[in-house]
Amino acid sequence: MAHSVPDFYAVIPAGGIGSRLWPLSRADAPKFLHDLTGSGRSLLRDTWDRLEPLAGPDRISVVTGRAHRAAVERELPGIPDRNVFLESEPRDSTAAIGLAAAILSRREPDVIIGSFAADHVIRGTQVFEWAVQQAVAVAREGYICTIGIPPIEPSIGFGYIKKAGELVVTGAPEAALVERFVEKPDLETARTYVADRSYLWNAGMFISRADVLLAEIAASQPELHAGLMELAEAWDDREARGPVVDRVWPTLTKIAIDYSVAEPAAGKGRLAVIPGHFDWDDVGDFASLAKLNSGGRLNDLAILGENARILSDAASGIVVSQTKRIISLIGVKDIVVVDTEDALLVTTSEHAQRVKGVVDALKLSGRGEVL
Amino acid sequence: MAHSVPDFYAVIPAGGIGSRLWPLSRADAPKFLHDLTGSGRSLLRDTWDRLEPLAGPDRISVVTGRAHRAAVERELPGIPDRNVFLESEPRDSTAAIGLAAAILSRREPDVIIGSFAADHVIRGTQVFEWAVQQAVAVAREGYICTIGIPPIEPSIGFGYIKKAGELVVTGAPEAALVERFVEKPDLETARTYVADRSYLWNAGMFISRADVLLAEIAASQPELHAGLMELAEAWDDREARGPVVDRVWPTLTKIAIDYSVAEPAAGKGRLAVIPGHFDWDDVGDFASLAKLNSGGRLNDLAILGENARILSDAASGIVVSQTKRIISLIGVKDIVVVDTEDALLVTTSEHAQRVKGVVDALKLSGRGEVL
């Protein structure tokens, strides 16, 4: 186990539902509450367990929706009440991470925060810790630091980070500056990125001094910044917090932190990156979930579900079982079957990205009760 | 509506479960109890309704397992108790139809029986009745008469009947003798049969005088015949029946009527055939069920189930819904999805015949509770 990293404080934004994993992921059972790896623990719990040796149990905050408070506390029984930051509604990642930065910065001016999604899968504890330790060293120098994943295939499902020159920081031998952020590319472009070696997958991890992060938000989104500061000022005053949250939170600009912080910082030469040499996946759809659970092999049938009763005859793909029903698959290739009490999904790996369209269609057709 | 045909008595063997339609068809919900056409009526009820104008409501018997007695009486509320012949266990079609022939022959020596499967689909009432009327005319002359279906495609799922020369019988202008029965052919052979025009699909319909049928059984299966006669003698004696059934029925040779009666009769020039110019299907698997419910079109999604809630995005095939769950299909072609409370099947039309293998596997693995 690593020693705690001085000044480091972990923030876990746990906001997204994970619509592409419907009907497994739901409004009342978002992706981060599921065990998607067969570990027996939720992704949120895995995230916590990964960060605890680095930050310590009292220095991890979760930013989540009010509706998920009980579930989060169930998953993380040790979490102090003051470390759970509740959103009254989703306002995207700048608001979520910025709120945490603003509150923590008031509590502890020199704090270095690292934000890590609640619903990603990471394998390789030591190299993860080593990457974070380097990122903290870089952040201590006033940079905003991200951790990028060296691509192992030309994925079109992730954004990319283009490295610039090396950055000399003690304790961070792999540090580099970031030239720019790149949106999800097409396959052709992704192939050139993989061959190039100076591109990394954007895994959405940001490590920086809280005050540095807030300064970037202030520069790019002054109104949003003002709102966050007002919220933070009232936050630790039990009487003041409620009315301020009700008034200010819904007015905050919805913008991803990539746009409000990372891209502007890159433009100014203030964004750094540490390569993360660990297995990482954002489990963005069922195709990715299938791969994750079949060791990356094709033509395997990955099975998720504690009580799964599967009978497979020459089937491959993934089946997720949340019921006790017998599920029989015959001769279906790269199939995706998700069996829940009130909804059933049947598709293929190839079409897994289109699940979000179904969710939208269900909303439109007034059948939102299964979302 | 046709007038009743003199001496005609319809027999409906309702024995088979229809394993290839699992998990829709079950031991306690066999194929003949399902509405597979969206008519709102079970196949058994449709069969009854088709025969009633020909035989009259008091002249239709059902031969079924003891376990299905209540269900059969629910489907056919008008059926007299004495017309339900209960098997203590399945002994194949010669025993089932032979039992009916033996009982009915004692009750009415000149009776002409016609046996029609409980779980086939027929469309075209008038031409069906016309075919039966001709078959009865042929049977009256002492022949065993079958009704064969002119093939519309080179099916490898049916047996074929090879016609011989015309048979001159008053009231049966289309009558022909049968040269031989042919087992399910391969595709190449099936193609030559369709082109030949002297081959018909064997639809398992047999019309003959009861005594003629029994004489054929006596000639080919003397022990089975003796057992049937002993059963028939005791049948209408309420006190005698039980012990005789318990002793004799389980000893009867299991043999299909095609082998015990039709083939030997064909060899002796005593088997005739009437072509049935109606749509007929034995609904042998989900591929056939899909076709039946999509008007034969490919790339359509056929939906069966009163409360089906289906969301389809570029899917084709068939979905059978027995639950209230939302079923979402994305980009799956020729898919077969059967959604029941305790079992789910996902396969494709191409592999539909392999469903029986799953049923066998479930039996072997001790999970017979879902069969």
Side-chain angles (χ1 to χ4, degrees):
Chain A
M1 188 178 287
H3 296 287
S4 293
V5 179
D7 299 324
F8 180 64
Y9 195 110
V11 174
I12 306 176
I17 288 170
S19 297
R20 286 186 182 82
L21 294 182
W22 179 89
L24 181 62
S25 293
R26 308 286 186 101
D28 62 354
K31 184 179 155 199
F32 61 81
L33 293 177
H34 290 281
D35 167 17
L36 297 186
T37 61
S39 70
R41 294 177 303 276
S42 68
L43 294 183
L44 174 62
R45 180 74 220 187
D46 277 341
T47 304
W48 173 282
D49 289 347
R50 197 157 47 234
L51 294 168
E52 207 236 294
L54 293 163
D58 298 331
R59 297 175 64 81
I60 307 176
S61 276
V62 176
V63 190
T64 194
R66 283 177 182 167
H68 302 134
R69 178 187 193 152
V72 165
E73 290 175 348
R74 211 163 36 239
E75 287 299 308
L76 311 174
I79 194 168
D81 196 45
R82 66 197 299 259
N83 291 1
V84 180
F85 303 151
L86 295 176
E87 306 171 312
S88 56
E89 58 177 82
R91 303 301 299 175
D92 217 325
S93 55
T94 306
I97 299 167
L99 176 69
I103 295 169
L104 296 171
S105 172
R106 282 183 67 90
R107 291 184 188 167
E108 181 181 328
D110 290 332
V111 71
I112 293 171
I113 64 167
S115 74
F116 302 88
D119 55 8
H120 292 179
V121 169
I122 286 173
R123 285 167 179 158
T125 306
Q126 286 200 341
V127 281
F128 172 75
E129 292 177 355
W130 172 227
V132 175
Q133 284 161 349
Q134 291 186 77
V136 171
V138 171
R140 208 181 292 283
E141 300 297 314
Y143 292 91
I144 292 172
C145 190
T146 183
I147 295 173
I149 314 298
I152 50 169
E153 58 179 12
S155 171
I156 59 170
F158 307 136
Y160 286 71
I161 297 166
K162 168 83 166 118
K163 279 196 292 188
E166 286 191 354
L167 179 65
V168 180
V169 172
T170 306
E174 297 179 279
L177 282 174
V178 171
E179 186 180 306
R180 60 188 173 96
F181 267 51
V182 188
E183 298 280 334
K184 295 176 185 180
D186 59 28
L187 187 61
E188 192 62 28
T189 311
R191 286 205 178 104
T192 67
Y193 289 173
V194 175
D196 185 300
R197 291 191 166 273
S198 67
Y199 287 85
L200 302 168
W201 285 335
N202 174 13
M205 303 173 188
F206 293 101
I207 298 94
S208 81
R209 290 179 54 106
D211 55 0
V212 170
L213 187 86
L214 290 166
E216 283 297 341
I217 298 174
S220 71
Q221 298 283 332
E223 283 180 30
L224 174 50
H225 177 263
L228 293 172
M229 298 314 283
E230 192 176 354
L231 283 160
E233 196 176 347
W235 198 267
D236 286 331
D237 178 341
R238 291 219 163 253
E239 283 179 23
R241 186 200 297 178
V244 175
V245 169
D246 290 348
R247 177 169 50 79
V248 176
W249 186 260
T251 70
L252 299 183
T253 304
K254 281 183 167 183
I255 181 169
I257 198 160
D258 297 34
Y259 303 127
S260 66
V261 171
E263 288 185 358
K268 288 179 279 186
R270 301 308 299 167
L271 185 68
V273 63
I274 298 292
H277 305 290
F278 43 82
D279 287 344
W280 168 85
D281 201 309
D282 74 346
V283 206
D285 61 23
F286 284 112
S288 135
L289 188 60
K291 220 163 137 192
L292 198 67
N293 284 278
S294 64
R297 292 185 299 278
L298 278 175
N299 290 324
D300 256 15
L301 186 67
I303 296 173
L304 251 85
E306 236 175 301
N307 302 304
R309 302 166 75 199
I310 314 295
L311 203 68
S312 164
D313 176 356
S316 66
I318 183 167
V319 46
V320 182
S321 163
Q322 290 200 314
T323 73
K324 289 179 178 173
R325 306 195 307 163
I326 291 262
I327 300 177
S328 170
L329 308 175
I330 306 175
V332 279
K333 302 294 176 197
D334 281 327
I335 198 84
V336 172
V337 174
V338 185
D339 182 50
T340 75
E341 284 301 339
D342 60 357
L344 169 69
L345 170 73
V346 181
T347 184
T348 64
S349 297
E350 191 192 345
H351 296 100
Q353 283 281 326
R354 281 160 63 192
V355 171
K356 198 169 178 312
V358 166
V359 170
D360 295 341
L362 285 168
K363 265 182 209 156
L364 286 174
S365 66
R367 290 184 280 190
E369 77 277 7
V370 296
L371 296 178
Chain B
M1 188 178 287
H3 296 288
S4 292
V5 180
D7 299 324
F8 181 64
Y9 195 110
V11 174
I12 306 176
I17 288 170
S19 297
R20 285 186 183 81
L21 294 183
W22 179 87
L24 181 62
S25 293
R26 307 287 185 101
D28 62 355
K31 185 179 154 198
F32 61 81
L33 293 177
H34 290 280
D35 167 18
L36 297 186
T37 61
S39 70
R41 294 176 303 277
S42 67
L43 295 183
L44 173 63
R45 180 74 221 188
D46 277 341
T47 304
W48 172 282
D49 289 346
R50 195 156 49 235
L51 293 168
E52 208 235 293
L54 293 162
D58 298 330
R59 296 175 65 80
I60 307 177
S61 276
V62 176
V63 190
T64 194
R66 283 177 181 169
H68 302 134
R69 178 186 195 155
V72 165
E73 289 175 350
R74 212 163 34 239
E75 287 300 309
L76 311 174
I79 194 168
D81 197 46
R82 66 198 298 262
N83 290 1
V84 181
F85 303 150
L86 296 176
E87 305 171 313
S88 56
E89 58 177 82
R91 302 302 299 174
D92 217 325
S93 56
T94 307
I97 299 167
L99 175 69
I103 296 168
L104 296 171
S105 173
R106 284 184 65 91
R107 291 185 188 165
E108 181 180 327
D110 290 330
V111 71
I112 293 171
I113 65 168
S115 75
F116 302 88
D119 55 6
H120 292 180
V121 169
I122 285 172
R123 284 168 179 157
T125 307
Q126 286 200 343
V127 279
F128 172 75
E129 292 177 355
W130 170 228
V132 174
Q133 285 161 349
Q134 292 186 77
V136 170
V138 172
R140 210 181 292 282
E141 300 297 314
Y143 291 92
I144 291 172
C145 190
T146 183
I147 295 174
I149 314 298
I152 52 168
E153 58 180 11
S155 171
I156 59 169
F158 307 137
Y160 286 71
I161 298 165
K162 167 83 167 118
K163 279 196 292 190
E166 286 192 355
L167 179 66
V168 180
V169 173
T170 305
E174 296 179 280
L177 282 174
V178 172
E179 185 181 305
R180 59 187 175 97
F181 267 50
V182 188
E183 299 279 335
K184 296 175 185 178
D186 59 29
L187 187 62
E188 192 61 28
T189 311
R191 288 208 178 103
T192 68
Y193 290 173
V194 175
D196 183 301
R197 292 191 166 273
S198 68
Y199 288 85
L200 302 167
W201 285 336
N202 174 13
M205 304 173 187
F206 293 101
I207 298 93
S208 80
R209 290 179 54 105
D211 55 1
V212 170
L213 187 85
L214 290 166
E216 283 296 342
I217 297 174
S220 71
Q221 297 283 332
E223 285 182 27
L224 174 49
H225 177 264
L228 292 172
M229 298 314 284
E230 192 176 353
L231 284 160
E233 194 175 348
W235 199 267
D236 285 332
D237 177 341
R238 291 219 162 254
E239 283 178 23
R241 185 202 295 178
V244 175
V245 168
D246 290 347
R247 178 170 50 80
V248 176
W249 185 260
T251 71
L252 298 184
T253 304
K254 282 184 167 183
I255 182 169
I257 197 159
D258 296 34
Y259 303 127
S260 66
V261 171
E263 288 184 0
K268 289 180 277 188
R270 302 306 300 166
L271 185 69
V273 63
I274 298 291
H277 305 290
F278 43 82
D279 286 344
W280 168 86
D281 201 308
D282 74 346
V283 206
D285 61 23
F286 284 111
S288 137
L289 187 60
K291 219 162 135 190
L292 197 67
N293 284 278
S294 65
R297 291 186 299 279
L298 277 176
N299 288 324
D300 256 15
L301 186 65
I303 297 173
L304 251 84
E306 236 175 299
N307 301 304
R309 302 167 75 199
I310 314 294
L311 201 68
S312 164
D313 175 357
S316 65
I318 183 166
V319 45
V320 182
S321 163
Q322 290 200 315
T323 73
K324 290 180 178 172
R325 306 193 310 161
I326 292 262
I327 300 178
S328 169
L329 307 175
I330 306 175
V332 279
K333 301 294 175 197
D334 281 328
I335 198 83
V336 173
V337 174
V338 185
D339 182 49
T340 76
E341 285 300 339
D342 59 358
L344 168 68
L345 171 72
V346 181
T347 184
T348 64
S349 296
E350 190 192 346
H351 296 99
Q353 282 282 326
R354 281 160 64 192
V355 171
K356 199 172 177 308
V358 166
V359 169
D360 295 341
L362 285 168
K363 265 182 208 154
L364 285 174
S365 65
R367 289 184 279 190
E369 77 277 6
V370 296
L371 297 180

